[in-house]
Amino acid sequence: MTAVARAAVDDPPAVSPLTHLQMLETEAAHIFREVAGEFDRSTLLFSGGKDSIVMLHVALKAFAPARLPFPLLHVDTGHNFPEVIAYRDRIVARHGLRLEVASVQSYIDNGTLRERADGTRNPLQTLPLLDAIRDGRFEAVFGGGRRDEEKARAKERVFSLRDEFGAWDPRRQRPELWQLYNGRHEPGEHVRVFPLSNWTELDVWQYIEHEGIELPEIYFAHTRTVFQRDGMWLTPGEWGTPRDGEAVCERQVRYRTVGDMSCTGAIDSSASTVPAVIAEIAASRVTERGASRADDRLSEAAMEDRKREGYF
């Protein structure tokens, strides 16, 4: 055997390093498989927002060619954007997924919950969520939260232990060195799992571009009837109408995040394509929740307070 031939046999083939997006995808897929191997019953929170869309996309790739081994769960406020609900149902049908819906409206109808004075229903999602987790006997619940979104979410571990009341206590969270995840929990407790913890908003959009993922159209610039409140463009509706001095107008806007229509604001934008959105986000100095979520402005610790009550 010649020296060249011997070298070809002895030397391992060159391996191309993973790109930044491939590393994030690989980490998320690993988390999905860890949960599938460690927990008997799990579910994926799916709202039709971009983070849950990316999370579902990675999950489908992680278990392909097998079917997704857990159902989707949507806590429906009843004030969701119609475009997003249509997208949700379209994706569920396309992939033959199981979808369970916990309805805030049904809790209001039977008197278990009351409408808030400010009209927002986001804080009302906690009880239907916890009941759905209990009724489904879910031990692990996948969420699309990212650490760059908000200060309370920056404290989260990938495996976030919740007590028997669904409450989050940052002092009970466990170290996760070397991507070793501890899912141990007592009866009645469960674990929230965040596969996209280490992603940023920019990562999410670059991944959407790379994978060619379809999104609801409200993520791109469009003309909408809005009114301004607290620096945000809100959509008028049964959940809330303009107050004195808040004029209704038509503007070209898009949404950076999707939630209850009563508290999710649009931003002025001409970005009608994914590359244009990426360029816009790269230049932004305000987080998506800080720019467009009124429920996070209720207090300095609004998100952390809700998480302690069992919120996402």
Side-chain angles (χ1 to χ4, degrees):
M1 181 180 294
T2 66
V4 173
R6 188 179 300 110
V9 172
D10 295 340
D11 294 341
V15 178
S16 301
L18 295 178
T19 66
H20 175 62
L21 292 180
Q22 287 172 328
M23 290 178 66
L24 290 173
E25 181 190 65
T26 299
E27 178 189 53
H30 166 68
I31 292 166
F32 277 116
R33 293 168 184 151
E34 281 287 299
V35 169
E38 187 171 346
F39 297 89
D40 290 329
R41 295 181 64 85
S42 55
T43 187
L44 185 149
L45 294 173
F46 187 74
S47 65
K50 69 182 186 309
D51 297 313
S52 64
I53 291 169
V54 166
M55 186 169 59
L56 174 60
H57 182 86
V58 176
L60 290 169
K61 292 182 70 173
F63 296 106
R67 293 173 62 87
L68 207 64
F70 41 75
L72 309 185
L73 172 61
H74 182 207
V75 183
D76 186 351
T77 67
H79 288 169
N80 296 100
F81 292 91
E83 302 96 325
V84 177
I85 295 299
Y87 175 92
R88 180 200 70 181
D89 295 341
R90 188 164 64 248
I91 292 300
V92 167
R94 178 182 302 169
H95 297 288
L97 304 173
R98 292 174 290 155
L99 173 67
E100 299 178 11
V101 178
S103 169
V104 171
Q105 184 65 56
S106 67
Y107 279 70
I108 294 173
D109 291 343
N110 66 25
T112 305
L113 292 175
R114 282 182 169 182
E115 291 278 17
R116 290 167 51 95
D118 59 8
T120 181
R121 289 185 175 181
N122 259 16
L124 302 183
Q125 291 176 290
T126 300
L127 181 58
L129 169 65
L130 295 178
D131 283 353
I133 292 172
R134 181 201 61 212
D135 295 344
R137 295 181 289 113
F138 296 125
E139 300 173 289
V141 180
F142 294 105
R146 308 186 322 267
R147 291 187 176 123
D148 76 318
E149 287 184 87
E150 199 273 339
K151 290 181 290 186
R153 286 184 168 169
K155 298 179 183 179
E156 284 278 20
R157 299 290 192 266
V158 174
F159 275 35
S160 177
L161 182 66
R162 302 299 177 103
D163 67 18
E164 63 272 25
F165 303 106
W168 172 73
D169 185 348
R171 295 169 297 184
R172 294 189 65 201
Q173 304 310 304
R174 299 154 178 166
E176 294 177 337
L177 303 177
W178 308 297
Q179 293 186 310
L180 297 176
Y181 305 113
N182 183 354
R184 181 176 55 83
H185 60 285
E186 299 295 332
E189 296 180 337
H190 69 276
V191 177
R192 305 278 174 90
V193 182
F194 301 101
L196 307 186
S197 282
N198 295 324
W199 298 50
T200 66
E201 183 185 12
L202 189 58
D203 292 330
V204 167
W205 277 98
Q206 289 176 333
Y207 185 78
I208 288 168
E209 180 182 42
H210 182 268
E211 297 289 299
I213 300 174
E214 176 193 353
L215 292 178
E217 54 267 34
I218 65 172
Y219 276 111
F220 303 99
H222 59 285
T223 301
R224 183 175 287 264
T225 301
V226 294
F227 64 94
Q228 190 171 55
R229 178 179 298 166
D230 194 24
M232 295 184 296
W233 294 110
L234 298 176
T235 299
E238 62 183 75
W239 46 86
T241 55
R243 301 167 185 163
D244 291 342
E246 295 178 338
V248 174
C249 61
E250 287 196 347
R251 296 186 71 89
Q252 187 178 41
V253 299
R254 75 172 190 87
Y255 288 87
R256 288 178 68 179
T257 183
V258 167
D260 190 74
M261 293 181 74
S262 64
C263 62
T264 303
I267 62 168
D268 289 308
S269 175
S270 60
S272 58
T273 64
V274 173
V277 171
I278 290 173
E280 185 178 86
I281 293 170
S284 175
R285 292 297 177 265
V286 181
T287 67
E288 61 199 281
R289 296 192 71 93
S292 59
R293 292 299 288 269
D295 54 331
D296 288 344
R297 301 184 182 187
L298 296 176
S299 73
E300 186 70 19
M303 173 64 80
E304 183 158 338
D305 290 342
R306 295 202 302 278
K307 286 165 65 66
R308 290 179 182 274
E309 296 170 357
Y311 188 71
F312 306 134

